[in-house]
Amino acid sequence: MTRTASRTCGDPGPVRPLTPFSRPLFTGAVFLLLCAACAAAGAGDWTGSLSGESRVFLDDPRDGDQSGHTNLSLSGTATWVHEWPDSGQSLVFTPFGRLDQHDNWRTHADVRELYWQKAAPRWELRLGLRKVHWGVAESQRLVDVINQRDTIEALTGDEKLGQPMANFAWINSWGTLDLFWLPYFRERTLTGRHGRFRTPVPMHHEPLYESGAEEWNQDFAVRYAHYIGSWDFGLTHFHGNSRDPRYVPEIGPIRLTPDSPYSSWSGANINSRLTRLFLSLPFARLIPYYDQIDQTGLDVQYTTGNWIWKAESIYRTGMNKDYGAVCAGFEYTFGGVFGTDADLGTLLEYNWDSRGKEALTNFQNDVFLGGRLALNDVQSTSLLGGVFVDLDSAALAFGLEGERRLGEDWKLSIEARIFSNVPADDLLTFVRKDDYIQATLTWYF
């Protein structure tokens, strides 16, 4: 163990780091100024939405500080686009904000995208905050490493924070080569003391970095993508701050070193006596730690008839242990099911991680079974459901998502997450009492 200077913290809940992208007052002020500037500019088109969300938890919370069975929130997002067609230039701005009933960390404003783009026949240049999507799998996106996850918005990690970048794409008949310079790092959003889906002990108010440059470490990435007949593939490499933090335990002035086996919680040690002792101490807290990593990834998709075969794989160095991981499977679509215009897609994917029980993820030896139903009606009704099965522990994680348009400008969405048969040595143990059903009503303008 190492000793560090003691810090005073009156509120045992997490405190936001003093960085311009996460400090709520700063971000909120930038948010409003940019909205006003775009509105004053006059040119350009606005589209957006406002949503009301109601979430009901089926069990009492694990911790008395957490909110009870219900939670309400309001959110809004918009996109402003201005184009100069003659010069192939465009400017995009996407603000986002949420007001949450209980979790003050989920109450936040953010700039999801704010970038300038220049498009030419053989190349494109983009400067600013953007969201980049890589990968083909349904159950997890192993290769998708550019953006930080906004985990307070979605437990699945599907929502992303905008990443400051310069992106140059070279477009040729032999494929597209994307080069990325990422000059600033955005740390992961975390649940507050009163929110659900959090660790049993509070998070420290400042993260740690392996890089001496911390959030100003210069990250780089490259991606080559192409298609040959029915095959689509992408080859990627990333170097820089990991988007996935490890969590270093701290008890008062005593802090474990990042290379300690207990600084990387996994199924191998999450239920150990030392971990249980740490979780029971009143002054225990966790500090997010961001390693320097190199990650090489490959994603492949093959389409033939009603079949889509998918695979993603990575090899990562850093994070105190080099490892490889794979997600592979297929989707088969049945057209015109039940004698209607509906399509039913069936999904099967297998997730593997070479670290086994020492993996810092739930996907070390898991199967995902799911289905996607699209009614193809005027209301665009769709339903996606599935279950993760841990082949080691038999833990189950069920998910259901559905949506339906109501008239021209409204949409109703439902979501449910249920965790079952979760043992004490599974990383899902922290959310095993957070089963919930959620309904969201959205107005589009």
Side-chain angles (χ1 to χ4, degrees), residues 6 43 65 98 101 108 122 183 218-219 247-248 336 376 380 442:
S6 176
D65 284 334
R98 179 177 293 279
Q101 179 184 8
H108 66 297
R122 297 289 295 274
Q218 304 302 290
D219 300 346
Y247 297 99
V248 177
N376 297 320
S380 301
T442 302

Side-chain angles (χ1 to χ4, degrees), residues 209-443:
Y209 295 86
E210 181 180 355
S211 168
E214 298 183 337
E215 67 267 34
W216 292 102
N217 184 76
Q218 304 302 290
D219 300 346
F220 298 93
V222 58
R223 175 176 172 85
Y224 170 69
H226 194 38
Y227 67 92
I228 301 175
S230 299
W231 293 88
D232 294 88
F233 61 90
L235 181 63
T236 62
H237 186 78
F238 171 87
H239 170 79
N241 283 328
S242 171
R243 272 49 182 167
D244 304 315
R246 293 190 288 142
Y247 297 99
V248 177
E250 182 181 76
I251 308 170
I254 308 299
R255 177 188 299 171
L256 294 185
T257 58
D259 58 355
S260 165
Y262 289 94
S263 290
S264 302
W265 280 5
S266 65
N269 61 28
I270 197 64
N271 193 39
S272 68
R273 292 181 179 179
L274 186 58
T275 300
R276 293 199 301 269
L277 174 62
F278 168 75
L279 295 176
S280 68
L281 297 174
F283 301 108
R285 65 182 65 238
L286 294 171
I287 310 172
Y289 179 83
Y290 294 97
D291 298 88
Q292 286 282 289
I293 65 166
D294 280 276
Q295 175 178 302
T296 301
L298 174 67
D299 58 278
V300 180
Q301 179 170 291
Y302 176 69
T303 305
T304 175
N306 292 350
W307 293 89
I308 302 177
W309 296 87
K310 309 174 182 182
E312 297 185 29
S313 64
I314 63 167
Y315 184 78
R316 178 180 291 189
T317 61
M319 300 186 73
N320 212 27
K321 186 177 181 66
D322 301 348
Y323 71 96
V326 175
C327 176
F330 66 84
E331 179 175 350
Y332 182 84
T333 301
F334 297 90
V337 295
F338 314 125
T340 68
D341 295 328
D343 295 327
L344 176 63
T346 55
L347 300 158
L348 173 64
E349 292 180 354
Y350 174 68
N351 293 272
W352 173 82
D353 192 302
S354 65
R355 295 170 293 180
K357 292 292 288 184
E358 296 182 356
L360 309 181
T361 172
N362 295 307
F363 306 110
Q364 82 284 359
N365 185 25
D366 295 68
V367 169
F368 172 73
L369 300 167
R372 180 188 292 109
L373 178 65
L375 296 186
N376 297 320
D377 56 354
V378 176
Q379 293 80 23
S380 301
T381 307
S382 65
L383 191 66
L384 172 64
V387 57
F388 284 96
V389 182
D390 190 313
L391 299 182
D392 293 325
S393 67
L396 303 174
F398 297 90
L400 179 68
E401 299 175 11
E403 60 183 36
R404 180 181 175 88
R405 283 176 44 202
L406 305 176
E408 294 295 326
D409 304 321
W410 295 84
K411 183 176 72 174
L412 177 64
S413 304
I414 60 170
E415 179 180 324
R417 304 288 171 188
I418 305 294
F419 307 98
S420 176
N421 198 37
V422 179
D425 61 350
D426 192 291
L427 291 179
L428 285 175
T429 187
F430 292 152
V431 296
R432 68 182 185 277
K433 294 179 68 65
D434 290 332
D435 300 347
Y436 71 90
I437 299 173
Q438 174 180 297
T440 304
L441 183 62
T442 302
W443 171 59

Side-chain angles (χ1 to χ4, degrees), residues 145-173:
V145 71
I146 292 290
N147 291 88
Q148 180 59 269
R149 308 293 178 182
D150 189 356
T151 56
I152 59 176
E153 278 302 308
L155 183 62
T156 58
D158 292 335
E159 294 295 330
K160 299 180 178 182
L161 302 179
Q163 170 62 48
M165 69 175 66
N167 169 216
F168 178 77
W170 188 19
I171 305 169
N172 292 275
S173 59

Side-chain angles (χ1 to χ4, degrees), residues 111-125:
V111 179
R112 293 305 203 213
E113 292 190 307
L114 176 58
Y115 67 91
W116 167 84
Q117 175 176 285
K118 166 68 176 179
R122 297 289 295 274
W123 59 270
E124 294 179 355
L125 177 64

Side-chain angles (χ1 to χ4, degrees), residues 61-72:
R62 182 191 62 248
D63 190 319
D65 284 334
Q66 293 177 284
S67 59
H69 288 269
T70 60
N71 189 76
L72 303 175

